[in-house]
Amino acid sequence: MASDITMDKLVALCKQRGFIFPGSEIYGGLANSWDYGPLGVELKNNLKQAWWKIFVHERLDMVGLDAAILMNPRVWEASGHISSFTDPLVDCKACHQRFRGDKLLEDKLGVDAVAGIKLEEVQPRMMAEAIACPACKKIDWTEAKRFNLMFKTKQGVVDGEGADIYLRPETAQGIFVNFKNVVQSQLMRLPFGIAQIGKSFRNEITPGNFTFRTREFEQMEIEYFFDPEATEWKGLFEDWKKSTMAFMSETVGIHADKLRFRDHAADELSHYSRGTTDIEFAFPWGWGELCAAAAYRTDFDLTQHAQFSGENLQYTDPDDNKRKITPHVIEPSFGLDRTLLALLLSSYSEEKAPTADGGEDVRVVMKFPYRLAPVKIAILPLSKKDELTSISLPLAQKLAKRWRVDHHSSQSIGKRYRRQDEVGTPFCVTVDFDTITDNAVTVRDRDTMKQERIAIADLESYFSSKL
Ligand code: ATP
């Protein structure tokens, strides 16, 4: 199993190796914003592609969508976000810093103890539990007030004028407002789902823990529509719980010990939801929400949008044209950044490794599942001499047509192996002076460190069978 890692170590490794950089760094940064570097973007794209393949391409009952981030503001009235997408904000009376009261309580008492807490209960509970201000350590809180998390901006070119518009706080509503278009253009029959990957924005009161909670993030969401008279919701709900958990354990490769389901308590559910189950991950600071495995949202969203837009969003039963229904929906909702963070944490491993002089050392290995590894193969000529690079460069070029390949000729081979281990490259290929005569290379396996000699002519089929 992977070794545990502190967040400080992970943040440093991500920056050093080019996974994730602090946002706007040369200007002193922008608090809690992060940029994905050359390896981070590969990892992110691989995660997205794996998710899309599993949940869209490999299923005949799913289609995709890419809706705009900016939507008609009425969407957010209908969905309830303008009136109730809020978190309880408390001010420290001593230092005037602002925090999310429920999260401070959660940090001390655990998620379950605070689930469903009412706005007016937040401050008295914080005082009773002697929750100190994380900034100045005093215990003196204002009453909690509702803080809307939506980012508001103006649409239009005239300064000071233009209509209020919001950056979407979730991708899901883009799916509901396109329900009719998708049904009509794709001839979809219930049950079926629509999937979408894209950016969402929330003006979080207390972002933090690296990419766990940021104000700009990416979501991968599914709305799975069904006829409640034909399909029993509980069975479907369980199927989606299984599929989301399988994605986290089998595709992302997270060990079962680090994952658990958490059912929302009755008083924690949104008013329209009849059941929600999250998947939590054991982050270094404790269990935290990784994704919503399944949420049963009934017909709430489609009914609201039909009412607010005046459009008929009903579905006509293809076997009985007179039967019109508003489908119900189950929503699995994944956070891409949180999944990537869990992937980094669970892949990190420290192992004893032999050194060239016969001693022992510790190597850091990112044991990414091969499918997700940012770089699949590193081609490493033993020296920078033309005799070797004239073989290694064309070889790298050839393999790069199929896989993401690195080519590095500087530093000692030992250092280059360590670097590739740290970025999780499954295979290193060494081109040495024997290659000139035997037309073979040494392939080193990331996990076992075993090396085998493979003929260059067989290399592509060798990797085809492994990757
Ligand atoms: P939390 O309780 O942590 O604020 P949430 O319950 O509001 O999360 P959902 O609305 O269910 O989150 O969003 C689905 C997923 O989107 C979450 O499980 C998470 O992976 C991701 N997500 C939500 N908010 C953020 C954020 N601020 N930064 C990064 N990812 C986020």
Side-chain angles (χ1 to χ4, degrees), residues 85 87 100 103 169-170 202 204 211-219 221 264 278-279 289-292 331 333-339:
F85 193 55
D87 278 335
R100 225 178 115 176
K103 287 287 161 196
E170 62 173 34
R202 295 182 188 179
E204 298 277 0
T211 55
F212 177 82
R213 188 179 305 285
T214 50
R215 295 190 170 114
E216 170 182 349
F217 55 98
E218 237 171 312
Q219 290 184 307
E221 294 194 296
H264 283 213
D278 290 340
I279 293 179
E289 177 177 331
L290 182 57
C291 69
E331 177 192 84
S333 173
F334 296 72
L336 178 56
D337 308 78
R338 271 190 207 175
T339 308

Side-chain angles (χ1 to χ4, degrees), residues 86-112:
T86 57
D87 278 335
L89 174 82
V90 288
D91 289 51
C92 169
K93 286 191 195 162
C95 73
H96 305 293
Q97 293 233 37
R98 306 181 125 189
F99 298 93
R100 225 178 115 176
D102 59 333
K103 287 287 161 196
L104 292 183
L105 281 165
E106 257 179 43
D107 290 346
K108 177 159 185 199
L109 308 172
V111 180
D112 290 329

Side-chain angles (χ1 to χ4, degrees), residues 71-85 150 169-170 172-174 176-177 270-272 297 300-305 308:
M71 302 181 80
N72 187 310
R74 295 270 290 159
V75 168
W76 309 112
E77 281 176 44
S79 66
H81 282 83
I82 289 182
S83 59
S84 56
F85 193 55
M150 282 205 294
E170 62 173 34
Q173 297 305 321
F176 293 118
V177 303
S270 327
H271 55 285
Y272 50 79
R297 300 174 70 111
F300 173 80
D301 304 87
L302 286 181
T303 304
Q304 287 289 103
H305 287 303
F308 277 70

Side-chain angles (χ1 to χ4, degrees), residues 91-97 133 136-142:
D91 289 51
C92 169
K93 286 191 195 162
C95 73
H96 305 293
Q97 293 233 37
C133 169
C136 73
K137 310 293 173 220
K138 298 259 165 46
I139 307 172
D140 197 2
W141 299 104
T142 60

Side-chain angles (χ1 to χ4, degrees), residues 115-116 263-271 273-274:
D263 296 329
H264 283 213
D267 56 0
E268 189 190 348
L269 292 172
S270 327
H271 55 285
S273 175
R274 284 209 216 135

